[in-house]
Coordinates of all heavy atoms in Angstrom, one line a residue:
M1022 N 0.8 -1.2 0.0 CA 0.0 0.0 0.0 C 0.9 1.2 0.0 O 1.8 1.3 0.8 CB -0.9 0.0 1.2 CG -1.9 1.1 1.3 SD -3.2 0.7 2.5 CE -3.0 2.0 3.6
S1023 N 0.6 2.2 -0.9 CA 1.4 3.4 -0.9 C 0.8 4.5 0.0 O -0.4 4.5 0.3 CB 1.5 3.9 -2.4 OG 0.2 4.3 -2.8
T1024 N 1.6 5.4 0.3 CA 1.2 6.5 1.2 C 1.5 7.8 0.4 O 2.4 7.9 -0.4 CB 1.9 6.5 2.5 OG1 3.3 6.7 2.3 CG2 1.7 5.3 3.3
I1025 N 0.7 8.8 0.8 CA 1.0 10.1 0.2 C 1.7 11.0 1.2 O 1.3 11.1 2.3 CB -0.4 10.8 -0.1 CG1 -1.2 10.0 -1.2 CG2 -0.2 12.2 -0.6 CD1 -2.6 10.5 -1.5
D1026 N 2.9 11.5 0.8 CA 3.7 12.2 1.7 C 3.3 13.7 1.7 O 3.4 14.3 2.8 CB 5.2 12.1 1.3 CG 5.7 10.7 1.4 OD1 5.3 10.0 2.4 OD2 6.6 10.3 0.6
K1027 N 2.9 14.2 0.6 CA 2.6 15.6 0.6 C 1.5 15.9 -0.5 O 1.5 15.3 -1.6 CB 3.8 16.4 0.2 CG 3.7 17.9 0.2 CD 5.0 18.6 -0.1 CE 4.9 20.1 -0.1 NZ 6.2 20.7 -0.3
V1028 N 0.6 16.8 -0.1 CA -0.5 17.2 -1.1 C -0.3 18.7 -1.2 O -0.3 19.5 -0.2 CB -1.9 16.9 -0.5 CG1 -2.9 17.5 -1.4 CG2 -2.0 15.4 -0.4
T1029 N -0.3 19.2 -2.4 CA -0.2 20.6 -2.7 C -1.5 21.0 -3.4 O -1.9 20.5 -4.4 CB 1.0 20.9 -3.6 OG1 2.2 20.4 -3.0 CG2 1.1 22.4 -3.9
L1030 N -2.2 22.0 -2.7 CA -3.4 22.5 -3.3 C -3.2 23.8 -4.1 O -2.5 24.6 -3.7 CB -4.4 22.8 -2.1 CG -4.8 21.6 -1.3 CD1 -5.7 22.0 -0.1 CD2 -5.5 20.6 -2.1
S1031 N -3.9 23.8 -5.2 CA -3.9 25.0 -6.0 C -4.9 26.0 -5.5 O -6.1 25.6 -5.3 CB -4.1 24.7 -7.5 OG -4.6 25.7 -8.2
G1032 N -4.6 27.2 -5.2 CA -5.6 28.2 -4.8 C -6.7 28.3 -5.7 O -7.9 28.4 -5.3
E1033 N -6.4 28.4 -7.0 CA -7.4 28.5 -8.0 C -8.3 27.3 -8.1 O -9.5 27.4 -8.3 CB -6.8 28.8 -9.4 CG -7.8 29.1 -10.5 CD -8.8 30.2 -10.2 OE1 -8.5 31.1 -9.5 OE2 -10.0 30.0 -10.7
G1034 N -7.7 26.1 -7.9 CA -8.4 24.9 -8.0 C -9.4 24.8 -6.8 O -10.6 24.3 -6.9
V1035 N -9.0 25.2 -5.6 CA -9.8 25.2 -4.4 C -11.0 26.2 -4.6 O -12.1 25.9 -4.3 CB -9.0 25.5 -3.2 CG1 -10.0 25.7 -2.0 CG2 -8.0 24.4 -2.9
R1036 N -10.7 27.3 -5.2 CA -11.7 28.3 -5.4 C -12.7 27.8 -6.4 O -13.9 28.0 -6.2 CB -11.0 29.6 -6.0 CG -12.0 30.8 -6.2 CD -11.3 32.1 -6.6 NE -10.4 32.5 -5.6 CZ -9.1 32.5 -5.7 NH1 -8.5 32.0 -6.8 NH2 -8.3 33.0 -4.8
Q1037 N -12.3 27.1 -7.5 CA -13.2 26.5 -8.4 C -14.1 25.5 -7.8 O -15.3 25.4 -8.0 CB -12.5 25.9 -9.6 CG -11.9 26.9 -10.5 CD -11.1 26.2 -11.6 OE1 -11.0 25.0 -11.7 NE2 -10.5 27.1 -12.5
L1038 N -13.6 24.7 -6.9 CA -14.3 23.7 -6.2 C -15.4 24.3 -5.3 O -16.6 24.0 -5.3 CB -13.4 22.8 -5.3 CG -14.1 21.8 -4.4 CD1 -14.9 20.8 -5.2 CD2 -13.1 21.1 -3.5
L1039 N -15.0 25.3 -4.5 CA -15.9 26.0 -3.6 C -17.0 26.8 -4.3 O -18.0 27.1 -3.7 CB -15.1 26.9 -2.6 CG -14.2 26.2 -1.6 CD1 -13.4 27.2 -0.8 CD2 -15.0 25.3 -0.7
R1040 N -16.8 27.1 -5.6 CA -17.8 27.9 -6.4 C -18.5 26.9 -7.3 O -19.4 27.4 -8.0 CB -17.0 28.9 -7.2 CG -16.4 30.0 -6.4 CD -15.8 31.1 -7.3 NE -16.8 31.9 -7.7 CZ -17.0 32.3 -9.0 NH1 -16.1 31.9 -9.9 NH2 -18.0 33.1 -9.4
S1041 N -18.3 25.7 -7.3 CA -18.9 24.7 -8.2 C -20.4 24.6 -7.9 O -20.9 24.8 -6.8 CB -18.2 23.3 -8.1 OG -18.6 22.7 -6.9
K1042 N -21.1 24.1 -9.0 CA -22.6 23.9 -8.9 C -22.9 22.8 -7.8 O -23.9 22.9 -7.1 CB -23.1 23.5 -10.2 CG -23.2 24.6 -11.2 CD -23.8 24.2 -12.5 CE -23.8 25.3 -13.5 NZ -24.3 24.9 -14.8
D1043 N -22.0 21.8 -7.7 CA -22.3 20.7 -6.8 C -22.2 21.2 -5.3 O -23.0 20.8 -4.5 CB -21.3 19.5 -7.0 CG -21.5 18.8 -8.3 OD1 -22.7 18.8 -8.7 OD2 -20.6 18.2 -8.8
V1044 N -21.2 22.0 -5.0 CA -21.1 22.6 -3.7 C -22.3 23.5 -3.4 O -22.9 23.4 -2.3 CB -19.7 23.3 -3.5 CG1 -19.7 24.1 -2.2 CG2 -18.6 22.3 -3.5
A1045 N -22.7 24.3 -4.4 CA -23.8 25.2 -4.2 C -25.1 24.4 -4.0 O -25.9 24.8 -3.1 CB -24.0 26.1 -5.4
K1046 N -25.3 23.3 -4.7 CA -26.5 22.5 -4.5 C -26.5 21.9 -3.1 O -27.5 21.8 -2.5 CB -26.5 21.4 -5.6 CG -27.0 21.8 -6.9 CD -27.1 20.6 -7.8 CE -27.2 20.9 -9.2 NZ -27.2 19.7 -10.1
H1047 N -25.3 21.4 -2.7 CA -25.2 20.8 -1.4 C -25.5 21.8 -0.3 O -26.3 21.5 0.7 CB -23.8 20.2 -1.2 CG -23.6 19.6 0.2 ND1 -24.2 18.4 0.5 CD2 -22.8 20.0 1.2 CE1 -23.9 18.1 1.8 NE2 -23.0 19.1 2.2
L1048 N -25.0 23.0 -0.4 CA -25.3 24.0 0.6 C -26.8 24.4 0.6 O -27.4 24.6 1.7 CB -24.4 25.3 0.3 CG -22.9 25.1 0.6 CD1 -22.2 26.4 0.1 CD2 -22.7 24.8 2.0
E1049 N -27.4 24.5 -0.6 CA -28.8 24.8 -0.6 C -29.7 23.7 0.0 O -30.6 24.0 0.8 CB -29.3 24.9 -2.1 CG -28.8 26.2 -2.7 CD -29.3 26.3 -4.2 OE1 -30.4 25.8 -4.5 OE2 -28.5 26.9 -5.0
R1050 N -29.3 22.4 -0.2 CA -30.0 21.3 0.5 C -29.9 21.5 2.0 O -30.8 21.3 2.8 CB -29.4 19.9 0.1 CG -30.0 19.4 -1.2 CD -29.6 17.9 -1.3 NE -28.2 17.6 -1.3 CZ -27.4 17.7 -2.3 NH1 -27.8 18.0 -3.5 NH2 -26.1 17.4 -2.1
L1051 N -28.7 21.8 2.5 CA -28.5 22.0 4.0 C -29.3 23.2 4.5 O -29.9 23.1 5.5 CB -27.0 22.2 4.3 CG -26.1 21.0 4.0 CD1 -24.6 21.3 4.3 CD2 -26.5 19.8 4.8
G1052 N -29.3 24.2 3.7 CA -30.1 25.4 4.1 C -31.6 25.1 4.1 O -32.2 25.6 5.1
R1053 N -32.1 24.3 3.2 CA -33.5 24.0 3.2 C -33.8 23.1 4.4 O -34.9 23.3 5.0 CB -33.9 23.3 1.9 CG -34.1 24.2 0.7 CD -34.7 23.5 -0.4 NE -34.1 22.3 -0.9 CZ -33.1 22.3 -1.8 NH1 -32.7 23.4 -2.4 NH2 -32.5 21.2 -2.2
R1054 N -32.9 22.2 4.8 CA -33.1 21.4 6.0 C -33.2 22.3 7.3 O -34.0 22.0 8.1 CB -32.0 20.3 6.1 CG -32.2 19.2 5.1 CD -31.1 18.3 4.9 NE -30.5 17.7 6.1 CZ -29.5 16.9 6.2 NH1 -28.8 16.6 5.1 NH2 -29.0 16.5 7.3
I1055 N -32.3 23.2 7.3 CA -32.2 24.1 8.5 C -33.5 25.0 8.5 O -34.2 25.1 9.6 CB -31.0 25.0 8.4 CG1 -29.7 24.2 8.7 CG2 -31.1 26.2 9.5 CD1 -28.5 25.0 8.4
A1056 N -33.9 25.5 7.4 CA -35.2 26.3 7.3 C -36.4 25.5 7.7 O -37.3 26.0 8.4 CB -35.3 26.9 5.9
S1057 N -36.4 24.3 7.3 CA -37.6 23.4 7.6 C -37.6 23.1 9.1 O -38.7 23.1 9.7 CB -37.4 22.1 6.8 OG -38.4 21.2 7.2
A1058 N -36.4 22.9 9.7 CA -36.4 22.6 11.1 C -36.7 23.8 11.9 O -37.3 23.7 13.0 CB -35.0 22.1 11.5
A1059 N -36.4 25.0 11.4 CA -36.6 26.3 12.1 C -38.1 26.7 12.1 O -38.6 27.3 13.0 CB -35.8 27.4 11.6
G1060 N -38.8 26.3 11.1 CA -40.3 26.6 11.0 C -40.6 27.2 9.7 O -39.8 27.4 8.8
P1061 N -41.9 27.4 9.5 CA -42.4 27.8 8.1 C -42.1 29.2 7.6 O -42.1 29.4 6.5 CB -43.9 27.6 8.3 CG -44.2 27.8 9.7 CD -43.0 27.3 10.4
E1062 N -41.7 30.1 8.5 CA -41.5 31.5 8.1 C -40.0 31.8 7.9 O -39.5 32.8 8.4 CB -42.2 32.4 9.1 CG -43.7 32.1 9.1 CD -44.3 32.8 10.3 OE1 -43.7 32.8 11.4 OE2 -45.5 33.2 10.2
H1063 N -39.3 30.9 7.2 CA -37.9 31.1 7.0 C -37.6 30.9 5.5 O -38.3 30.1 4.8 CB -37.0 30.1 7.8 CG -37.1 30.4 9.2 ND1 -38.2 30.0 10.0 CD2 -36.3 31.1 10.1 CE1 -38.0 30.3 11.3 NE2 -36.9 31.0 11.3
E1064 N -36.6 31.7 5.0 CA -36.3 31.5 3.5 C -34.8 31.2 3.4 O -34.0 31.6 4.2 CB -36.6 32.8 2.8 CG -35.8 34.0 3.1 CD -36.1 35.2 2.4 OE1 -37.0 35.2 1.5 OE2 -35.5 36.3 2.6
V1065 N -34.5 30.6 2.3 CA -33.1 30.2 2.0 C -32.7 31.0 0.7 O -33.4 31.0 -0.3 CB -33.0 28.7 1.7 CG1 -31.6 28.3 1.3 CG2 -33.5 27.9 2.9
T1066 N -31.6 31.7 0.8 CA -31.0 32.4 -0.3 C -29.6 31.9 -0.5 O -28.8 31.7 0.4 CB -31.0 33.9 0.1 OG1 -32.2 34.4 0.5 CG2 -30.5 34.8 -1.1
S1067 N -29.3 31.7 -1.8 CA -28.0 31.2 -2.1 C -27.3 32.1 -3.2 O -28.0 32.7 -4.0 CB -28.0 29.8 -2.7 OG -28.8 29.7 -3.8
T1068 N -26.0 32.3 -3.0 CA -25.3 33.1 -3.9 C -23.9 32.4 -4.1 O -23.5 31.6 -3.3 CB -25.0 34.5 -3.4 OG1 -24.3 34.4 -2.2 CG2 -26.3 35.3 -3.2
V1069 N -23.3 32.8 -5.3 CA -21.9 32.4 -5.5 C -21.1 33.6 -5.6 O -21.3 34.4 -6.5 CB -21.8 31.5 -6.8 CG1 -20.3 31.1 -7.1 CG2 -22.7 30.3 -6.7
G1070 N -20.2 33.8 -4.7 CA -19.3 34.9 -4.6 C -18.0 34.7 -5.4 O -17.9 33.8 -6.1
V1071 N -17.1 35.6 -5.1 CA -15.8 35.5 -5.8 C -15.0 34.3 -5.4 O -14.4 33.6 -6.2 CB -14.9 36.8 -5.5 CG1 -13.5 36.6 -6.1 CG2 -15.6 38.0 -6.0
N1072 N -15.1 33.9 -4.1 CA -14.3 32.8 -3.6 C -15.1 31.5 -3.3 O -14.5 30.4 -3.2 CB -13.5 33.2 -2.4 CG -12.5 34.2 -2.7 OD1 -11.7 34.1 -3.6 ND2 -12.4 35.3 -1.9
R1073 N -16.4 31.6 -3.0 CA -17.1 30.5 -2.6 C -18.6 30.7 -2.7 O -19.1 31.8 -2.8 CB -16.8 30.1 -1.1 CG -17.3 31.2 -0.2 CD -16.8 30.8 1.3 NE -17.3 31.8 2.2 CZ -16.6 32.9 2.5 NH1 -15.5 33.2 1.9 NH2 -17.1 33.7 3.4
A1074 N -19.4 29.5 -2.7 CA -20.8 29.6 -2.7 C -21.3 29.8 -1.2 O -20.6 29.4 -0.3 CB -21.4 28.3 -3.2
R1075 N -22.4 30.5 -1.1 CA -22.9 30.8 0.3 C -24.4 30.5 0.3 O -25.1 30.7 -0.7 CB -22.7 32.3 0.6 CG -21.3 32.7 0.6 CD -21.3 34.2 1.0 NE -20.0 34.7 0.9 CZ -19.4 35.3 -0.2 NH1 -20.1 35.4 -1.3 NH2 -18.2 35.7 -0.1
V1076 N -24.9 30.2 1.5 CA -26.3 30.0 1.7 C -26.7 30.8 3.0 O -26.0 30.7 4.0 CB -26.7 28.6 1.8 CG1 -28.1 28.4 2.4 CG2 -26.6 27.9 0.5
T1077 N -27.8 31.5 2.9 CA -28.3 32.2 4.1 C -29.7 31.7 4.4 O -30.5 31.6 3.5 CB -28.4 33.7 3.8 OG1 -27.1 34.2 3.4 CG2 -28.8 34.5 5.0
V1078 N -30.0 31.5 5.7 CA -31.3 31.1 6.1 C -31.8 32.3 7.0 O -31.1 32.6 8.0 CB -31.4 29.8 6.9 CG1 -32.8 29.5 7.3 CG2 -30.8 28.7 6.0
A1079 N -32.9 32.9 6.7 CA -33.3 34.1 7.4 C -34.8 34.0 7.7 O -35.6 33.3 7.0 CB -33.0 35.3 6.6
T1080 N -35.3 34.7 8.7 CA -36.7 34.9 9.0 C -37.4 35.7 8.0 O -36.7 36.6 7.4 CB -36.9 35.5 10.4 OG1 -36.3 36.7 10.5 CG2 -36.3 34.6 11.5
T1081 N -38.6 35.5 7.7 CA -39.4 36.3 6.7 C -40.5 37.1 7.3 O -41.1 38.0 6.7 CB -40.0 35.4 5.6 OG1 -40.9 34.5 6.3 CG2 -38.9 34.7 4.8
T1082 N -40.8 36.9 8.6 CA -41.8 37.7 9.3 C -41.4 38.1 10.7 O -40.4 37.6 11.2 CB -43.1 36.8 9.5 OG1 -42.8 35.7 10.4 CG2 -43.6 36.3 8.2
G1083 N -42.1 39.1 11.2 CA -41.8 39.6 12.5 C -42.0 38.5 13.6 O -41.2 38.4 14.6
K1084 N -43.0 37.7 13.4 CA -43.3 36.6 14.3 C -42.1 35.6 14.3 O -41.7 35.2 15.4 CB -44.6 35.9 13.8 CG -45.0 34.8 14.8 CD -46.4 34.2 14.2 CE -46.9 33.1 15.1 NZ -48.1 32.5 14.6
A1085 N -41.6 35.2 13.2 CA -40.4 34.3 13.1 C -39.2 35.0 13.7 O -38.4 34.3 14.4 CB -40.2 33.9 11.7
Y1086 N -39.0 36.3 13.5 CA -37.9 37.0 14.1 C -38.0 37.0 15.6 O -37.0 36.8 16.3 CB -37.9 38.4 13.6 CG -36.8 39.2 14.1 CD1 -35.5 39.1 13.7 CD2 -37.0 40.1 15.2 CE1 -34.4 39.8 14.2 CE2 -36.0 40.9 15.7 CZ -34.7 40.7 15.2 OH -33.7 41.4 15.8
G1087 N -39.2 37.2 16.1 CA -39.4 37.1 17.6 C -39.1 35.7 18.2 O -38.5 35.7 19.2
R1088 N -39.5 34.7 17.4 CA -39.1 33.3 17.9 C -37.6 33.1 17.9 O -37.1 32.5 18.8 CB -39.8 32.3 17.0 CG -41.3 32.1 17.3 CD -41.9 30.8 16.7 NE -41.5 30.6 15.3 CZ -42.3 31.1 14.3 NH1 -43.4 31.7 14.5 NH2 -41.9 30.9 13.1
E1089 N -36.9 33.7 16.9 CA -35.5 33.6 16.8 C -34.9 34.4 18.0 O -34.0 33.9 18.7 CB -34.9 34.1 15.5 CG -33.4 34.3 15.4 CD -32.6 33.0 15.7 OE1 -33.1 31.9 15.6 OE2 -31.5 33.2 16.1
L1090 N -35.4 35.5 18.2 CA -34.9 36.4 19.3 C -35.0 35.8 20.7 O -34.1 35.8 21.5 CB -35.6 37.7 19.3 CG -35.2 38.8 20.2 CD1 -33.8 39.3 19.9 CD2 -36.1 40.0 20.2
H1091 N -36.1 35.1 20.9 CA -36.4 34.6 22.3 C -36.0 33.1 22.4 O -35.6 32.7 23.5 CB -37.9 34.8 22.7 CG -38.2 36.2 22.8 ND1 -37.8 37.1 23.8 CD2 -39.0 37.0 22.0 CE1 -38.2 38.3 23.6 NE2 -38.9 38.3 22.5
N1092 N -36.2 32.3 21.4 CA -36.0 30.9 21.5 C -34.8 30.4 20.7 O -34.5 29.2 20.7 CB -37.3 30.1 21.0 CG -38.5 30.5 21.8 OD1 -38.4 30.8 22.9 ND2 -39.6 30.6 21.1
H1093 N -34.2 31.2 19.9 CA -33.0 30.9 19.1 C -33.3 29.7 18.1 O -32.6 28.7 18.0 CB -31.8 30.5 20.0 CG -31.5 31.5 21.0 ND1 -30.9 32.7 20.7 CD2 -31.7 31.6 22.3 CE1 -30.8 33.5 21.8 NE2 -31.3 32.8 22.8
T1094 N -34.4 29.8 17.4 CA -34.9 28.7 16.6 C -33.9 28.4 15.4 O -33.7 27.2 15.1 CB -36.3 29.1 15.9 OG1 -36.2 30.4 15.3 CG2 -37.4 29.1 16.9
L1095 N -33.2 29.4 14.9 CA -32.3 29.1 13.8 C -31.0 28.4 14.4 O -30.5 27.4 13.8 CB -31.9 30.3 13.0 CG -32.9 30.8 12.0 CD1 -32.5 32.2 11.5 CD2 -33.1 29.9 10.9
T1096 N -30.6 28.9 15.5 CA -29.4 28.2 16.1 C -29.7 26.8 16.5 O -28.9 25.9 16.2 CB -29.0 29.0 17.4 OG1 -28.8 30.4 17.1 CG2 -27.8 28.4 18.0
Q1097 N -30.9 26.5 17.0 CA -31.3 25.2 17.4 C -31.4 24.3 16.1 O -31.2 23.1 16.1 CB -32.5 25.1 18.2 CG -32.4 25.7 19.6 CD -33.6 25.8 20.3 OE1 -34.6 25.1 20.0 NE2 -33.7 26.6 21.4
A1098 N -31.8 24.9 15.0 CA -32.1 24.2 13.8 C -30.8 23.8 13.0 O -30.8 23.0 12.1 CB -33.0 25.0 12.8
L1099 N -29.7 24.3 13.4 CA -28.4 24.0 12.8 C -28.1 22.5 12.8 O -27.5 22.0 11.9 CB -27.2 24.7 13.4 CG -27.2 26.2 13.1 CD1 -26.0 26.9 13.9 CD2 -27.0 26.4 11.6
D1100 N -28.5 21.8 13.8 CA -28.3 20.3 13.9 C -28.9 19.6 12.7 O -28.5 18.5 12.3 CB -28.8 19.8 15.2 CG -27.9 20.0 16.3 OD1 -26.7 20.2 16.1 OD2 -28.3 19.9 17.5
A1101 N -30.0 20.2 12.1 CA -30.6 19.5 11.0 C -29.7 19.4 9.8 O -29.9 18.6 8.9 CB -31.9 20.3 10.6
A1102 N -28.6 20.2 9.7 CA -27.7 20.2 8.6 C -26.6 19.1 8.8 O -25.8 18.9 7.9 CB -27.0 21.6 8.4
R1103 N -26.6 18.5 9.9 CA -25.5 17.5 10.1 C -25.9 16.1 9.5 O -26.9 15.8 9.3 CB -25.3 17.3 11.6 CG -24.8 18.5 12.2 CD -24.5 18.3 13.7 NE -24.1 19.7 14.2 CZ -23.4 19.9 15.2 NH1 -23.1 18.9 16.0 NH2 -23.1 21.1 15.6

């Protein structure tokens, strides 16, 4: 069995991976799972920036914002992404 002594990563290669459609889709799936666990009044927004894909889960109503403020619904919902 052979072993790898050293791996050299290309900055541009890593950037391409982090901006890829597959990574963006994966992040969107995780974001939807978090939003679902947090409750019905949450939205998922995804973007691809210069260096990486991003997903944001946010409240859409004052009622959901109040639940986040007092009960930390989004923080508790993070486990749904595991």
Side-chain angles (χ1 to χ4, degrees):
M1022 185 162 118
S1023 66
T1024 61
I1025 298 174
D1026 294 326
K1027 185 176 180 181
V1028 173
T1029 304
L1030 297 174
S1031 156
E1033 182 57 31
V1035 172
R1036 186 176 296 109
Q1037 286 177 1
L1038 174 66
L1039 292 176
R1040 295 183 77 227
S1041 70
K1042 289 181 183 180
D1043 289 334
V1044 169
K1046 284 183 195 178
H1047 179 68
L1048 291 175
E1049 286 179 34
R1050 276 194 305 272
L1051 295 178
R1053 284 193 303 271
R1054 287 169 48 185
I1055 292 169
S1057 177
E1062 298 165 327
H1063 293 81
E1064 70 179 359
V1065 178
T1066 306
S1067 61
T1068 59
V1069 177
V1071 174
N1072 293 315
R1073 66 184 181 272
R1075 299 178 184 93
V1076 168
T1077 304
V1078 181
T1080 60
T1081 58
T1082 65
K1084 185 177 177 181
Y1086 179 79
R1088 285 195 310 269
E1089 170 58 22
L1090 184 64
H1091 297 290
N1092 302 326
H1093 309 288
T1094 52
L1095 283 171
T1096 303
Q1097 291 178 18
L1099 286 175
D1100 280 338
R1103 294 182 187 201

